[in-house]
Amino acid sequence: QKEVEQNSGPLSVPEGAIASLNCTYSDRGSQSFFWYRQYSGKSPELIMFIYSNGDKEDGRFTAQLNKASQYVSLLIRDSQPSDSATYLCAVNILDNYGQNFVFGPGTRLSVLP
Amino acid sequence: EAQVTQNPRYLITVTGKKLTVTCSQNMNHEYMSWYRQDPGLGLRQIYYSMNVEVTDKGDVPEGYKVSRKEKRNFPLILESPSPNQTSLYFCASSLHYNSPLHFGNGTRLTVT
């Protein structure tokens, strides 16, 4: 069973702080990694994707990938109350007909004003 | 506008009455997938499709059917809905496996 794990949270940070979200995955063959943000009752929206080891920055968001350790993280700088949401990590895995996506359970982030 | 369109957004039905939730994408994506989301359980995959006429079961396929006769459409069929299928459903598509998933707006289904 290919797995993606995340701390369910809630993770609480004060406004303006850095929020750090972590994700580990079991399939060493995984090649692409995605972070989604989901507000309650809404559909997930893509924040970032990363394919190569190292860091990838986009505005206040930084994705970090370490394939040797099988983890991917998301840093949110200068956290805002509007960042309060559930963050989903998704990984592509090799399945019966090719590649498939597996989601972690999500980490609930609360940014306190 | 590039999008994934699900219909209906809300549906209330009774046990045993067959229903279909439609999903259509206009991005020529090969990969499509259905998920259900329940409180505390995250996104669980029901079925997915790598391309036309190619479908496979996800983690929770029992009680659901799908078909992929055309690239753009991937309907979810509940032949005999039961109350435990009350959930929030999402359809998603991707150009190929390395590309991000694009999600529809969701369908909130209630089976009484």
Side-chain angles (χ1 to χ4, degrees):
Chain A
Q1 179 81 2
K2 305 295 174 62
E3 291 183 344
V4 176
E5 297 183 348
Q6 299 178 251
N7 290 329
S8 60
L11 172 66
S12 295
V13 299
E15 184 174 354
I18 296 175
S20 177
L21 305 164
N22 298 316
C23 170
T24 59
Y25 59 94
S26 62
D27 183 7
R28 281 197 173 275
S30 298
Q31 297 179 10
S32 50
F33 307 85
F34 308 89
W35 282 101
Y36 288 84
R37 177 176 62 198
Q38 186 179 27
Y39 295 109
S40 180
K42 304 295 186 183
S43 57
E45 53 179 325
L46 180 72
I47 297 176
M48 294 198 68
F49 58 90
I50 186 167
Y51 301 145
S52 305
N53 277 329
D55 294 359
K56 179 181 178 183
E57 187 174 317
D58 184 1
R60 295 187 297 112
F61 300 98
T62 299
Q64 299 175 316
L65 175 60
N66 184 323
K67 289 186 179 180
S69 300
Q70 294 177 248
Y71 88 81
V72 56
S73 63
L74 179 70
L75 300 178
I76 307 174
R77 289 181 299 282
D78 188 24
S79 296
Q80 301 297 309
S82 59
D83 294 326
S84 298
T86 296
Y87 290 79
L88 303 169
C89 172
V91 177
N92 88 306
I93 62 165
L94 189 60
D95 212 313
N96 295 336
Y97 288 103
Q99 301 277 344
N100 195 9
F101 293 87
V102 177
F103 280 83
T107 297
R108 192 154 52 94
L109 173 66
S110 178
V111 181
L112 307 174
Chain B
E1 180 188 352
Q3 60 185 357
V4 179
T5 303
Q6 287 180 238
N7 281 299
R9 290 291 310 276
Y10 301 91
L11 179 58
I12 301 174
T13 190
V14 296
T15 298
K17 185 176 181 181
K18 181 180 178 180
L19 65 92
T20 299
V21 184
T22 64
C23 176
S24 179
Q25 48 90 8
N26 62 359
M27 296 169 279
N28 202 35
H29 285 175
E30 293 182 350
Y31 176 97
M32 297 186 76
S33 183
W34 275 103
Y35 300 87
R36 64 177 286 174
Q37 189 171 40
D38 304 289
L41 294 178
L43 280 171
R44 294 185 291 169
Q45 191 179 51
I46 303 170
Y47 272 94
Y48 68 101
S49 170
M50 292 296 293
N51 213 325
V52 175
E53 302 293 0
V54 180
T55 63
D56 200 7
K57 297 176 181 178
D59 299 319
V60 288
E62 294 78 20
Y64 305 95
K65 285 175 56 178
V66 292
S67 69
R68 187 90 182 274
K69 296 190 173 95
E70 314 163 90
K71 189 180 255 193
R72 64 182 293 126
N73 295 323
F74 191 43
L76 180 69
I77 302 157
L78 285 73
E79 295 270 2
S80 183
S82 62
N84 65 13
Q85 292 178 299
T86 292
S87 187
L88 178 58
Y89 291 86
F90 291 106
C91 179
S93 71
S94 170
L95 184 60
H96 55 73
Y97 68 87
N98 262 342
S99 300
L101 277 170
H102 298 255
F103 283 84
N105 285 331
T107 296
R108 187 167 292 281
L109 172 66
T110 302
V111 183
T112 60

